[in-house]
């Protein structure tokens, strides 16, 4: 049996970040991956979808140029093979980059299906992993079963897969999930997106930009139900303005694929039953952890009732079996199932295995982004969560529309900045609403920041620091935001909460 310091099972964002950090700290690392290094995020999720959404933004720009700015531009067609070739090239270059980084760090990559055989032992069954274009994946040739013992510990990072609906199996053409929607043949003329979370909203936005008739169905009473209610409201307004039909409080009753599409029956919030004939049904009703084949029981582990591998110690992300850690989508809430959160989790686990005492992941300070048009970006507590935690009288809120600043008018897409903070005696009323309401005076620690509008994904990092450093509006107000930018609206919101507002009163 071979020995190493750390065995990582799964080469997605959480797994390979753990491996890289552990190797940088001088540990010997074996990384087992049965598919492709980079995982869902790199090959089927974050990266290819954002490449496609960038293309969608270019398409939307042509329409805006013509209709708003007098630029006599027209869109002849979308060359789907050329578009997907560019997307695949971006993915392939990132894939080669991650593999090269792992190799340079000295991480031993073993293509294979790993299973636990004890609290410190793993068996890896060989597979031949292939990259884009059929190229062999990096690592061992995988021609033998290997048995490994971990001197320091084992990290389980096997990720998640899309949930599906009973009796409605994805076929990659008419019924698709987020894993295969980008790779389905051609552009559909009509799409029913089931699920109004971040994934569903992004795919609804993408298909609408590409010319499809889109209906977005969400069972909850609003889109992005885990976000601030004002985020949902502004997002829904923006999507409807683009021609997307949004049905909240609605449920899919039945769906029947036929030769050229799917006939779906939807019950609306008012109890009306509607029949929709669409070319494609995209199921985006969440994801479920992947633990099949791991043989957790052999190491004395079991998942919870939802399939998650819960830590016994969140500060170390260590399971009930000492030395076995979990990162990424295997973790239950408060972990967020986000790639950038899994990077942070990987750092914590690697530094723990190296004998350090890293600071635990602060999930309240992890940004959340939806890359639709309009985009949403948030960090910290929603207004409702802040009031539930601290009480109605302990919260001050300020909201400012992006169109209140010149650059917001230039973009012309609406949107908002909303800051939730602790209320002090000087900060006045605690209500929210229109610009400047309930925000006069000097508010206390910032609890949450919520943005909707163009490019707000690139504006949220500042707010992460504000939340993470327990800053107050007065701390932020002394820093100057450049003019003219969208970020001016962020700066003005803090100025008002600090009692120094210029354009808000």
């Amino acid at each position: 049996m071979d020995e190493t310091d750390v065995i990582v099972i799964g080469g997605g964002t959480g797994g390979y970040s753990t491996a890289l950090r552990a190797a940088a700290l001088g540990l010997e690392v074996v990384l087992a991956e049965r598919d492709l290094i980079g995982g869902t995020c790199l090959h089927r999720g974050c990266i290819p979808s954002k490449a496609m959404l960038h293309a969608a933004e270019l398409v939307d720009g042509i329409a805006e140029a013509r209709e708003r700015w007098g630029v006599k531009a027209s869109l002849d067609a979308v060359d789907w093979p050329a578009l997907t070739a560019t997307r695949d090239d971006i993915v392939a270059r990132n894939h080669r980059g991650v593999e090269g980084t792992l190799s340079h760090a000295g991480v031993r990559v073993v293509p294979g299906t790993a299973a636990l055989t004890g609290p410190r032992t793993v068996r890896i069954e060989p597979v031949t992993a292939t990259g884009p274009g059929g190229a062999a994946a990096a690592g061992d040739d995988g021609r033998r079963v290997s048995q490994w013992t971990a001197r320091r510990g084992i990290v389980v990072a096997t990720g998640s897969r899309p949930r599906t609906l009973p009796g409605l199996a994805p076929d990659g053409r008419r019924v698709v999930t987020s894993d295969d929607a980008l790779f389905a043949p051609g552009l559909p003329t009509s799409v029913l997106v089931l699920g109004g979370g971040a994934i569903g909203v992004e795919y609804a936005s993408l298909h609408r930009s590409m010319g499809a008739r889109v209906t977005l169905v969400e069972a909850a009473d609003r889109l992005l139900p885990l976000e601030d209610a004002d985020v949902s409201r502004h997002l829904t307004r923006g999507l409807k303005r683009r021609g997307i039909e949004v049905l909240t409080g609605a449920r899919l009753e039945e769906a029947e694929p036929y030769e050229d599409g799917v006939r779906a029956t939807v019950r609306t919030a008012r109890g009306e039953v509607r029949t929709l004939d669409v070319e494609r049904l995209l199921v985006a009703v969440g994801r479920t952890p992947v633990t099949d084949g791991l043989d957790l029981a052999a190491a004395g582990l079991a998942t919870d009732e939802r399939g998650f591998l819960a830590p016994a110690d969140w500060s170390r992300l260590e399971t009930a079996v000492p030395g076995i850690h979990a990162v990424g989508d295997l973790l239950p809430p408060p972990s967020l199932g986000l790639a950038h959160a899994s990077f942070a989790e990987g750092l914590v686990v690697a530094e723990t295995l190296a004998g350090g005492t890293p600071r635990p992941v602060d999930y309240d300070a992890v940004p959340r982004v939806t890359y639709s048009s309009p985009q949403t970006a948030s960090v910290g507590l929603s207004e409702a969560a802040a009031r539930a935690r601290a009480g109605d009288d302990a919260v001050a809120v300020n909201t400012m529309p992006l169109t209140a600043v010149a650059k917001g008018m230039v973009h012309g897409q609406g949107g908002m900045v909303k800051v939730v903070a602790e209320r002090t005696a000087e900060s006045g009323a605690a209500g929210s609403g229109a610009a400047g309401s309930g925000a006069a005076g000097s508010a206390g620690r910032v609890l949450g920041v919520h943005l909707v509008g163009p490019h707000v994904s690139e504006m949220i990092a500042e707010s992460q620091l504000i939340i993470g450093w327990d800053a107050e509006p007065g701390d932020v107000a002394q820093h100057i935001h450049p003019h003219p930018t969208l970020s001016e609206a962020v700066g003005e919101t803090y100025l008002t909460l600090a009692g120094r507002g210029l354009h808000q009163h």
Side-chain angles (χ1 to χ4, degrees):
M1 182 175 286
D2 297 313
E3 286 193 0
T4 188
D5 290 324
V6 177
I7 302 170
V8 180
I9 304 175
T13 52
Y16 82 69
S17 62
T18 306
L20 286 173
R21 182 60 179 146
L25 292 170
L27 300 181
E28 185 181 4
V29 183
V30 165
L31 171 59
E33 170 56 55
R34 65 184 179 186
D35 190 9
L36 293 170
I37 292 295
T40 294
C41 177
L42 176 51
H43 297 282
R44 297 178 292 278
C46 316
I47 305 307
S49 67
K50 276 46 179 188
M52 300 288 278
L53 284 162
H54 176 70
E57 185 180 3
L58 297 177
V59 172
D60 290 337
I62 295 171
E64 182 189 354
R66 180 180 63 252
E67 297 167 6
R68 188 163 181 250
W69 295 101
V71 178
K72 303 305 180 183
S74 61
L75 177 66
D76 294 333
V78 174
D79 185 338
W80 185 250
L83 191 157
T84 56
T86 300
R87 174 202 67 200
D88 294 345
D89 178 63
I90 291 167
V91 169
R93 283 189 285 140
N94 275 274
H95 180 221
R96 290 193 297 271
V98 174
E99 287 191 323
T101 302
L102 288 167
S103 176
H104 181 74
V107 175
R108 182 173 182 178
V109 176
V110 181
T113 300
L116 298 169
T117 56
R120 281 289 192 282
T121 54
V122 171
R123 181 184 68 254
I124 304 176
E125 299 279 351
V127 299
T128 301
T130 56
D140 292 356
D141 61 17
R143 289 179 295 183
R144 65 180 181 89
V145 176
S146 54
Q147 306 276 352
W148 292 89
T149 297
R151 290 184 289 264
R152 296 290 186 100
I154 297 169
V155 184
V156 187
T158 47
S160 64
R161 63 168 64 94
R163 295 184 185 276
T164 57
L165 299 176
L168 191 64
D171 62 8
R173 181 172 66 89
R174 299 163 301 175
V175 180
V176 297
T177 68
S178 59
D179 266 10
D180 49 28
L182 295 177
F183 309 98
L187 286 166
T189 58
S190 57
V191 180
L192 171 61
V193 179
L194 186 62
I199 293 174
V201 167
E202 288 179 2
Y203 279 94
S205 181
L206 167 64
H207 284 92
R208 181 57 189 154
S209 296
M210 295 298 178
R213 171 174 56 85
V214 178
T215 301
L216 177 57
V217 173
E218 167 57 42
D221 61 358
R222 57 187 177 90
L223 300 180
L224 302 187
L226 300 181
E227 293 294 344
D228 187 272
D230 282 335
V231 169
S232 301
R233 180 169 58 85
H234 280 265
L235 171 66
T236 300
R237 180 187 301 164
L239 295 178
K240 286 183 174 180
R241 189 183 298 125
R242 295 181 55 211
I244 296 174
E245 182 180 27
V246 177
L247 302 176
T248 55
R251 295 186 178 277
L252 180 71
E253 301 249 307
E254 188 178 6
E256 184 65 34
Y258 56 91
E259 183 178 355
D260 297 320
V262 178
R263 177 163 295 138
T265 303
V266 176
R267 184 175 295 275
T268 70
R270 296 181 177 180
E272 301 167 350
V273 176
R274 293 182 51 189
T275 299
L276 302 171
D277 281 289
V278 294
E279 191 173 330
R280 190 165 294 162
L281 170 61
L282 197 161
V283 180
V285 293
R287 299 181 66 86
T288 186
V290 172
T291 56
D292 50 292
L294 276 175
D295 200 3
L296 295 174
L301 288 170
T303 61
D304 66 14
E305 65 278 2
R306 297 167 295 175
F308 293 111
L309 187 56
D313 183 350
W314 276 93
S315 69
R316 299 162 53 89
L317 297 175
E318 190 171 31
T319 68
V321 176
I324 300 182
H325 301 254
V327 298
D329 289 3
L330 284 181
L331 296 172
S335 183
L336 299 168
L338 299 172
H340 47 285
S342 71
F343 281 132
E345 291 161 352
L347 291 172
V348 168
V349 169
E351 290 167 9
T352 297
L353 290 170
T357 53
R359 179 177 297 182
V361 177
D362 179 2
Y363 291 105
D364 281 346
V366 175
R368 309 176 299 276
V369 177
T370 303
Y371 296 85
S372 51
S373 178
Q375 294 184 354
T376 78
S378 302
V379 62
L381 300 179
S382 67
E383 179 181 348
R387 293 188 187 281
R389 183 177 296 187
D392 282 345
D393 294 336
V395 174
V397 177
N398 189 24
T399 303
M400 184 174 186
L402 282 185
T403 50
V405 298
K407 197 64 180 291
M409 296 180 190
V410 170
H411 283 283
Q413 297 181 26
M416 66 145 195
V417 175
K418 180 176 182 177
V419 175
V420 181
E422 291 177 341
R423 183 191 179 198
T424 64
E426 293 81 15
S427 58
S432 69
S437 66
S442 181
R445 182 170 59 101
V446 178
L447 303 174
V449 181
H450 309 279
L451 312 176
V452 180
H455 309 300
V456 295
S457 60
E458 307 295 343
M459 294 165 56
I460 197 63
E462 170 191 22
S463 299
Q464 179 187 18
L465 297 178
I466 292 166
I467 296 291
W469 290 344
D470 292 332
E472 298 182 358
D475 300 321
V476 184
Q478 63 182 317
H479 298 287
I480 301 168
H481 289 73
H483 171 83
T485 63
L486 293 173
S487 69
E488 275 186 287
V490 177
E492 183 75 26
T493 304
Y494 285 110
L495 279 169
T496 303
L497 282 168
R500 302 174 61 197
L502 292 176
H503 302 94
Q504 283 186 304
H505 303 286

